[in-house]
Amino acid sequence: MKKLIFSFLFLVSLTVYSQTDTSALDKLTPEELLKHYQNEKEPYSTYKGPEGVGDTLYNELNPMVIPTQTVYAEGLFRIGSDKEKDRFHLLDSTNNADQMLKPKVSLGAGRLGFYGDLYRNKFQSPLTARPAFDLNVSQRLTRSFQLNFNVMFGQLGANENLDTRHENFQSEIRAGGVNLLYDFGNFIPDRYKIRPFVTVGIAGFEFLSKTDLLDRNGNKYYYWSDGSIKDKAEGSADAQFAVDLKRDYIYETDVRERNADGFGKYRESSIAIPVGAGAIMKVTDRIDLKLNFQVFFTNTDYIDGISNKSVGLRQGDKKKDNFSYTSFALQYDLIAKPRAQKEKLRTDTIGDKFWLAMDAEDGDKDGVTDFKDECQGTPEGVKVDAKGCPLDDDKDGIPNYRDDELATTAGAPVNERGVSQTPEYWQAWYNQYNNDSVGENPHEEIVGNAFKLDTKKANFNNKKDIYTVELARYFGSIPTDELALLLSIGDIKSVTLDDGTTVVYTAGEYKKITTAIKRRDEFRKEGNKAAVVSKLKGKNVIKVTDEELAEILRKEKDDELSSGITNTTSAGSNTSSAVTNTTTANVDGEGSFNKTDIVYRVQLGAFKNKISTSVFNTSAGVLELKTGESVYRYVTKGFKTIGEAAAVRADLVIQGYSDAFVTAYKEGKRIPMSQTKATVDKAYKEDMNEEKIFSSVDKKLVSFKVQLGGLKKQFQEKLMDERVKNISDLEKQGTSSGMIRYTTGKFPDMASAEKYRKELEDKGFTDAFIVATFKGDIISIQEALELLK
């Protein structure tokens, strides 16, 4: 303690000495000081230009850029000027008087470690330390010192199991105080983002200590010499009837009220001297990251309930109980202004010859210097006007050197080669476009006057809206009589909206609105009057009103006209023929279905609770339907042939979905497989019940593991490896975020995994928990239990 106080006083003395002005000018009398300034030499000038020219220009131009009430500007900057020095003066908020008496607030988290009578070495491992949180308000006093006001809340505890003594406690700590922070500001320049610090202060704290003497059933712990815990004392008359107990780590007994050593009602509060060190790293102008380690030297020996006055084997030493706090915190400056970006001092090394050469430079060699050239980059040899722009005699916007028609009529539209776009021109262009009997080879051509292109009206957005036919919206379960109707539509899809409860069922995806309207009308003719055209926007399905449909049709027609398709009737008939006979084509290239087609699907499972569709590893796509009494049914997309469906089922069986089976639907009803082209054994009786619950998943693919705490970062790997080195069947798995997951064991059921987790908890892994896997991938516990039903 004395060494720390002496070190602190030494640092304070260095700070005071470094900030003391030792200049000899302070010793001069007023008369001597005046004489000194009169005889002082002129300051050195870094200006390298012609003598007098730089100063003249600076003095004439500088007043013109002084800020006014209506115009903001900065004065001219000149190397070597006093203003340049001012730019880098008082940049740090620690020096700026405008930001003095402005607090910083930090919120931190860490762990409290105990240093007292417990443990053979009187030292607690950081791995068994308890969590704590702190709130700190900091005010800078000088360039090197800050005054901190802080409060802290946390838990302090220890568990000791020696041959002769078995003690434990857990204490609620509430502390508040003030400390002085020294951050070496008089030695370390402001440009460094990381700055160490030391602190010393005074704090008051309260502690409420409890101990764990009884298990959940009220049985007292007796520690036997073989390391076990029993409900009867070793050596007692009925010791042969002793039963094993396990600590529940519930600290139910108040240490002071227990009065094991006759201390009575001692004070559960004390004073502490916190001494610490750490580092502050500047993240932004307002946010700092603070790493801190403090030791609280207290004035009490009752935190753990053991002292040198304790009785028998409980007796401790004469030292006080102390504790440490290791933490990190984010500190936010409430008021500080953003710090100006520092610029490195520049050296003026450019002479007059350089500037004269720049003034005379002519990059495109057209005879007009770059400072006067309004059309830089003119090809070499092209005639230009006084402004450096290529000549354009007919004023059509195409310069002569690229103009194939030098005498264009004034105001006539031209193409990129300056050729008038007359009716004959357009006829020739149309003939080339259609590659007709003229025999000319078609080629690409940009039509229009490139110099007069109106960029505001140009549309370069190639993203097309996707339309679909919305068949139904369900806010709950699908009626049983409508389930087969939906499944008989080959390209049916489901979309769950953002509210999590509304499911929209759609058919087809179309780029053209006319195709979607044709499909909608077909559904309406078949009796689905609720069918409407909707637009797909991400995971949302937005209904299109009749007014919007009319506007979209008009724009689609205009786009066809602007693309050169003048025969709109022909284009419309082609679109119509693309959807005749109730045939639909999906944007994604899926197969087409007719109304009378049989739709085959592979049934994957039906569960009481919702599971992720990713459980079914198939590229065929999975459709989720909520039916009956909150039953979630999962099927594949529709197939036109039994061969396609059978191939998908075979692939699923190989992967472990052995109970998957094929069903068939036609014209809104489920039909037996015997009425399809499938080969069915005469003795086979197909179950046509659409409400039964089943799972196609092989239950052996589901397993449970115990994860040892949360995901670990790379720098924690070595520490964690050392901690788990004695655990068998350990697995380390990297995640996509760069973290590391530690798991152990593999169990077919939840109960076995829970039993193993409790064993690990007794070994010190109190943060262990159970995770579920399916085919090696992590899934939720709920999904795993559902798959095992």
Side-chain angles (χ1 to χ4, degrees):
M1 185 66 183
K2 293 181 180 178
K3 292 182 180 179
L4 288 173
I5 295 175
F6 285 137
S7 300
F8 175 76
L9 294 176
F10 175 71
L11 292 173
V12 173
S13 63
L14 286 178
T15 304
V16 175
Y17 178 78
S18 66
Q19 295 180 350
T20 303
D21 188 2
T22 59
S23 174
L25 296 179
D26 292 341
K27 302 178 182 180
L28 299 179
T29 63
E31 291 78 17
E32 290 173 336
L33 188 61
L34 177 61
K35 186 176 180 180
H36 168 78
Y37 284 122
Q38 288 175 343
N39 297 329
E40 188 180 23
K41 294 182 180 181
E42 291 290 330
Y44 175 75
S45 175
T46 59
Y47 180 71
K48 303 298 183 181
E51 191 65 30
V53 174
D55 289 338
T56 302
L57 290 174
Y58 179 82
N59 293 331
E60 288 182 359
L61 295 177
N62 192 45
M64 300 181 185
V65 293
I66 293 177
T68 67
Q69 294 182 353
T70 56
V71 179
Y72 172 79
E74 291 184 359
L76 290 181
F77 166 74
R78 183 175 59 168
I79 294 177
S81 67
D82 290 337
K83 183 173 182 180
E84 179 195 15
K85 299 175 184 177
D86 293 339
R87 297 174 70 202
F88 303 110
H89 181 59
L90 299 179
L91 288 176
D92 195 285
S93 62
T94 60
N95 289 336
N96 196 337
D98 186 38
Q99 297 185 37
M100 292 295 287
L101 300 177
K102 310 298 184 184
K104 297 181 179 180
V105 178
S106 67
L107 185 63
R111 300 182 77 85
L112 288 173
F114 179 68
Y115 304 89
D117 298 286
L118 299 188
Y119 298 116
R120 180 178 285 109
N121 298 323
K122 313 303 181 186
F123 175 83
Q124 183 178 28
S125 169
L127 296 177
T128 58
R130 308 298 168 89
F133 303 91
D134 70 279
L135 176 65
N136 187 83
V137 178
S138 175
Q139 172 60 53
R140 183 167 290 279
L141 302 178
T142 69
R143 181 175 179 80
S144 305
F145 287 95
Q146 295 181 28
L147 189 63
N148 298 330
F149 302 88
N150 54 71
V151 294
M152 180 181 65
F153 304 90
Q155 292 182 341
L156 191 65
N159 292 277
E160 181 188 68
N161 289 292
L162 303 179
D163 295 334
T164 58
R165 188 169 68 181
H166 302 274
E167 298 292 338
N168 62 78
F169 83 98
Q170 179 171 284
S171 183
E172 297 292 333
I173 301 294
R174 296 183 291 273
V178 59
N179 63 68
L180 191 65
L181 181 148
Y182 173 74
D183 64 359
F184 305 93
N186 55 327
F187 296 111
I188 302 176
D190 294 338
R191 66 177 179 271
Y192 292 101
K193 291 188 176 182
I194 299 179
R195 179 173 297 181
F197 66 83
V198 293
T199 63
V200 64
I202 185 169
F205 71 98
E206 295 179 342
F207 58 93
L208 178 61
S209 301
K210 293 187 177 184
T211 183
D212 180 17
L213 301 178
L214 309 174
D215 69 2
R216 300 177 189 271
N217 300 317
N219 299 312
K220 184 178 179 180
Y221 301 130
Y222 291 92
Y223 296 86
W224 286 32
S225 58
D226 63 354
S228 63
I229 304 175
K230 308 286 187 178
D231 65 341
K232 301 181 185 300
E234 186 175 10
S236 62
D238 57 346
Q240 66 271 23
F241 303 109
V243 178
D244 287 333
L245 299 180
K246 288 187 178 180
R247 280 193 59 193
D248 59 2
Y249 293 93
I250 297 176
Y251 299 84
E252 75 289 328
T253 305
D254 189 282
V255 172
R256 188 176 70 171
E257 297 297 326
R258 180 191 179 194
N259 200 20
D261 301 307
F263 294 154
K265 299 289 185 178
Y266 54 81
R267 290 185 60 184
E268 292 185 309
S269 62
S270 180
I271 299 296
I273 304 296
V275 179
I280 298 177
M281 182 176 66
K282 184 167 286 297
V283 180
T284 68
D285 287 334
R286 289 182 179 271
I287 299 176
D288 300 328
L289 178 63
K290 182 189 292 185
L291 302 178
N292 182 38
F293 176 80
Q294 288 180 293
V295 177
F296 287 73
F297 297 95
T298 76
N299 193 36
T300 181
D301 198 17
Y302 294 119
I303 295 179
D304 56 2
I306 297 175
S307 72
N308 63 323
K309 298 179 181 180
S310 295
V311 179
L313 297 176
R314 287 174 47 82
Q315 185 176 18
D317 55 27
K318 295 182 179 180
K319 296 180 181 180
K320 303 294 184 182
D321 291 340
N322 303 317
F323 58 91
S324 67
Y325 181 46
T326 306
S327 67
F328 71 93
L330 285 178
Q331 180 172 271
Y332 184 76
D333 195 328
L334 296 174
I335 313 289
K337 297 179 180 178
R339 189 166 60 175
Q341 294 292 326
K342 270 192 175 182
E343 296 179 8
K344 293 183 179 179
L345 293 178
R346 294 163 289 180
T347 304
D348 189 1
T349 58
I350 300 176
D352 294 341
K353 291 183 179 180
F354 173 83
W355 297 112
L356 291 173
M358 179 174 284
D359 289 344
E361 187 174 359
D362 179 15
D364 54 8
K365 304 291 188 302
D366 60 358
V368 181
T369 60
D370 290 345
F371 280 114
K372 298 179 181 180
D373 199 335
E374 295 183 4
C375 300
Q376 296 190 30
T378 304
E380 191 172 351
V382 174
K383 293 181 179 182
V384 298
D385 57 19
K387 296 181 179 180
C389 293
L391 298 179
D392 180 15
D393 294 337
D394 54 8
K395 308 300 181 185
D396 60 357
I398 307 298
N400 291 348
Y401 77 94
R402 288 198 293 111
D403 199 335
D404 292 343
E405 187 179 271
L406 295 177
T408 303
T409 304
V414 296
N415 63 5
E416 64 173 356
R417 299 300 303 177
V419 178
S420 301
Q421 294 176 326
T422 61
E424 292 78 12
Y425 168 87
W426 284 114
Q427 184 61 50
W429 179 89
Y430 186 76
N431 291 340
Q432 290 178 347
Y433 179 83
N434 289 283
N435 195 20
D436 61 3
S437 58
V438 175
E440 298 178 3
N441 293 324
H443 64 277
E444 290 187 1
E445 182 176 10
I446 298 176
V447 181
N449 189 340
F451 285 88
K452 296 182 179 180
L453 180 64
D454 187 355
T455 56
K456 294 183 180 180
K457 296 182 179 179
N459 181 15
F460 299 102
N461 183 13
N462 293 323
K463 293 183 179 179
K464 296 286 188 179
D465 289 329
I466 302 299
Y467 302 99
T468 186
V469 179
E470 179 180 327
L471 301 177
R473 287 189 182 220
Y474 295 104
F475 300 96
S477 302
I478 301 174
T480 305
D481 56 343
E482 295 183 19
L483 175 63
L485 177 63
L486 293 176
L487 293 178
S488 64
I489 300 172
D491 52 357
I492 191 76
K493 288 187 176 181
S494 64
V495 178
T496 302
L497 301 186
D498 293 336
D499 61 10
T501 58
T502 305
V503 182
V504 182
Y505 291 90
T506 64
E509 294 180 3
Y510 310 98
K511 292 181 179 179
K512 280 197 170 189
I513 192 69
T514 51
T515 314
I517 293 174
K518 288 283 186 181
R519 186 76 188 281
R520 178 205 64 184
D521 293 344
E522 292 165 5
F523 280 114
R524 288 182 176 181
K525 290 179 180 178
E526 295 169 5
N528 189 347
K529 302 299 182 182
V532 296
V533 175
S534 294
K535 185 188 299 184
L536 297 177
K537 284 290 186 181
K539 292 186 177 181
N540 290 325
V541 181
I542 304 170
K543 292 183 180 181
V544 182
T545 64
D546 292 340
E547 293 77 9
E548 290 173 334
L549 280 178
E551 180 64 19
I552 296 170
L553 285 170
R554 185 188 64 77
K555 288 183 179 180
E556 193 171 284
K557 183 177 181 181
D558 291 343
D559 289 343
E560 292 177 350
L561 291 173
S562 62
S563 300
I565 304 176
T566 57
N567 190 351
T568 58
T569 304
S570 174
S573 62
N574 290 337
T575 302
S576 176
S577 63
V579 295
T580 54
N581 298 324
T582 66
T583 301
T584 62
N586 192 285
V587 170
D588 297 330
E590 295 182 1
S592 301
F593 290 87
N594 293 320
K595 176 182 177 181
T596 56
D597 285 342
I598 297 176
V599 178
Y600 297 93
R601 298 184 186 274
V602 181
Q603 300 283 339
L604 302 173
F607 308 92
K608 276 289 186 182
N609 296 298
K610 185 175 182 179
I611 63 174
S612 173
T613 56
S614 60
V615 168
F616 305 103
N617 184 21
T618 174
S619 59
V622 179
L623 181 66
E624 177 186 281
L625 304 102
K626 185 178 181 182
T627 64
E629 295 295 330
S630 298
V631 175
Y632 292 87
R633 187 172 300 278
Y634 298 88
V635 299
T636 65
K637 73 173 186 179
F639 299 97
K640 292 192 66 174
T641 65
I642 184 61
E644 293 175 311
V648 171
R649 179 191 175 277
D651 180 64
L652 287 168
V653 170
I654 293 173
Q655 295 185 53
Y657 307 89
S658 56
D659 290 336
F661 60 94
V662 180
T663 55
Y665 300 87
K666 182 178 180 181
E667 296 181 345
K669 297 180 181 179
R670 179 179 171 181
I671 61 174
M673 295 299 295
S674 58
Q675 297 181 13
T676 68
K677 297 181 179 179
T679 302
V680 181
D681 191 338
K682 293 182 179 179
Y684 171 71
K685 293 183 179 180
E686 184 177 357
D687 186 356
M688 299 294 288
N689 182 11
E690 290 277 58
E691 297 183 359
K692 71 174 182 178
I693 295 177
F694 76 97
S695 172
S696 64
V697 177
D698 186 350
K699 293 180 175 56
K700 295 180 181 179
L701 300 177
V702 180
S703 62
F704 298 89
K705 299 181 177 181
V706 179
Q707 182 169 323
L708 303 176
L711 299 178
K712 307 300 179 185
K713 295 183 178 180
Q714 296 290 341
F715 70 87
Q716 299 173 306
E717 183 176 5
K718 290 185 178 179
L719 186 63
M720 189 64 180
D721 288 345
E722 179 66 22
R723 185 185 177 193
V724 301
K725 63 181 180 180
N726 295 325
I727 295 180
S728 59
D729 195 21
L730 183 71
E731 292 185 9
K732 286 173 60 176
Q733 180 183 11
T735 67
S736 58
S737 60
M739 307 288 277
I740 303 173
R741 177 185 287 113
Y742 289 80
T743 59
T744 178
K746 187 176 182 180
F747 305 95
D749 56 78
M750 186 79 170
S752 302
E754 175 61 18
K755 180 180 178 182
Y756 185 49
R757 186 198 66 80
K758 289 182 178 179
E759 294 176 4
L760 293 172
E761 185 179 47
D762 294 339
K763 294 180 181 179
F765 294 93
T766 56
D767 55 352
F769 58 93
I770 299 174
V771 295
T773 65
F774 178 73
K775 299 174 70 174
D777 295 329
I778 299 292
I779 62 174
S780 69
I781 297 292
Q782 178 185 337
E783 288 177 327
L785 295 176
E786 191 68 29
L787 292 175
L788 290 176
K789 290 180 180 179

